[in-house]
Amino acid sequence: MKTLRLGPWPAIATLVLSAVTLAGCDDDDDDDTPSDSELATEALLRISRDAPTELPDNVPEDLRRVTFGGTQYDLLELLGRPSGSRPSARIVAAYQTVDTPADPPPLGTPSNAVLPDYTRSAPAAQVYECRQTGGVFAWAFLQPEAGLEPMTTTPVPGLETLGFDHFRYPGGIDYGPPTGTPPVGPAWRVSALALNGGEPTFGQTLFVGAADVTVPNGAGNVPLLRLSNAARIDQGLPSDVFSRTTSDGTQVGYVLRLDTVGGVAPTAGCAGAGDVGKRERVPYSAGYYFVEVLTPP
């Protein structure tokens, strides 16, 4: 059986890889073909290890500016600091929007499995719904619908064993401690069916964010965003897929939505009671950068 060379992986990632490697062994010790679980785990780790080390040059200052302990820092400068210094930052993963998956797995728990609400095999879109407030009819933003493709410095083998999507997390699912019940909000997910252990809601990382800074990006494009780390659920995946939780106060995770094109609300079609509830998918593209900041002691 083939042994994958990991290099200096975090301890939890190494343990996960060891587990799936053992699960993939059979009686033929001369078989050098890695199992799907090995390929999936290696791909997950490579997405993090080979993520871009720098943000695009055009990131607005408002999105880069963070404050800890009353001191203001620039994410660009923090990304250039030595690893492990405090404060410092690193890009944990980066993704580009693509078409939505054709057959996404459910999210949730064995007792509460929910399929994500989006149009299958469709271009990435911002979805708007016609609503009435008093006597006024207007399009209101409802949810994102997109697949995701990792941006890495080198090609990542085994991506076909993974699934990536971006949608509106519906809330109402209690994952138990330490996560509990995350709030409704935009969500990013990585799924590895090869690691599901027979349970369709296992083998996933789900990140639910809340916007804290927006910057306009032209009349025809949805704004640039920075989202704070609101909740993160891991179910059997290595810990470095997305930026980590903020529960211990020593680290903060952000998602930056950059390079947006399209996606603005329609200008017609929501004019009367007969239009209320109608949805429109407006195609868009964007890059999402997950940034972890080690905060000062």
Side-chain angles (χ1 to χ4, degrees), residues 128-167:
Y128 297 87
E129 185 174 74
C130 181
R131 296 177 183 172
Q132 179 182 4
T133 304
V136 178
F137 300 89
W139 291 104
F141 175 68
L142 181 65
Q143 63 194 33
E145 295 185 359
L148 300 171
E149 181 177 76
M151 290 187 279
T152 56
T153 55
T154 59
V156 175
L159 284 182
E160 70 279 359
T161 64
L162 307 178
F164 309 88
D165 50 3
H166 174 37
F167 53 88

Side-chain angles (χ1 to χ4, degrees), residues 178-248:
T179 304
T181 305
V184 173
W188 297 261
R189 180 175 63 159
V190 171
S191 304
L193 297 182
L195 302 181
N196 69 9
E199 169 53 55
T201 57
F202 188 76
Q204 300 183 20
T205 288
L206 179 73
F207 182 96
V208 183
D212 65 349
V213 180
T214 64
V215 175
N217 190 34
N221 307 317
V222 289
L224 308 180
L225 295 177
R226 187 180 75 201
L227 300 100
S228 61
N229 186 329
R232 177 175 174 232
I233 305 104
D234 281 317
Q235 300 192 94
L237 293 193
S239 64
D240 274 7
V241 177
F242 286 151
S243 51
R244 290 178 278 187
T245 62
T246 59
S247 58
D248 64 3

Side-chain angles (χ1 to χ4, degrees), residues 260-287:
T260 56
V261 177
V264 298
T267 57
C270 181
D275 296 321
V276 173
K278 182 169 63 175
R279 294 184 182 183
E280 289 286 344
R281 301 181 80 258
V282 182
Y284 89 114
S285 64

Side-chain angles (χ1 to χ4, degrees), residues 2-215:
K2 182 177 180 180
T3 301
L4 298 176
R5 297 182 179 178
L6 297 182
W9 299 114
I12 186 169
T14 303
L15 290 174
V16 171
L17 181 59
S18 299
V20 298
T21 299
L22 290 173
C25 291
D26 55 28
D27 293 334
D28 183 3
D29 290 337
D30 294 328
D31 184 4
D32 288 337
T33 302
S35 67
D36 282 350
S37 60
E38 290 176 304
L39 288 171
T41 302
E42 175 73 356
L44 288 163
L45 297 172
R46 290 271 305 264
I47 288 170
S48 175
R49 187 191 71 184
D50 297 343
T53 57
E54 298 178 349
L55 293 171
D57 293 335
N58 59 351
V59 181
E61 183 179 351
D62 286 350
L63 298 187
R64 302 185 335 243
R65 188 185 306 122
V66 294
T67 301
F68 303 108
T71 302
Q72 193 173 99
Y73 302 94
D74 189 313
L75 285 177
L76 292 182
E77 192 269 330
L78 293 181
L79 284 166
R81 293 190 178 187
S83 175
S85 62
R86 291 184 180 273
S88 64
R90 68 179 183 124
I91 298 172
V92 181
Y95 297 87
Q96 177 67 42
T97 53
V98 294
D99 290 356
T100 58
D103 187 22
L107 62 138
T109 64
S111 62
N112 192 358
V114 180
L115 280 171
D117 175 22
Y118 56 70
T119 305
R120 309 296 190 256
S121 303
Q126 298 281 293
V127 182
Y128 297 87
E129 185 174 74
C130 181
R131 296 177 183 172
Q132 179 182 4
T133 304
V136 178
F137 300 89
W139 291 104
F141 175 68
L142 181 65
Q143 63 194 33
E145 295 185 359
L148 300 171
E149 181 177 76
M151 290 187 279
T152 56
T153 55
T154 59
V156 175
L159 284 182
E160 70 279 359
T161 64
L162 307 178
F164 309 88
D165 50 3
H166 174 37
F167 53 88
R168 178 178 180 266
Y169 174 71
I173 300 173
D174 184 358
Y175 288 88
T179 304
T181 305
V184 173
W188 297 261
R189 180 175 63 159
V190 171
S191 304
L193 297 182
L195 302 181
N196 69 9
E199 169 53 55
T201 57
F202 188 76
Q204 300 183 20
T205 288
L206 179 73
F207 182 96
V208 183
D212 65 349
V213 180
T214 64
V215 175

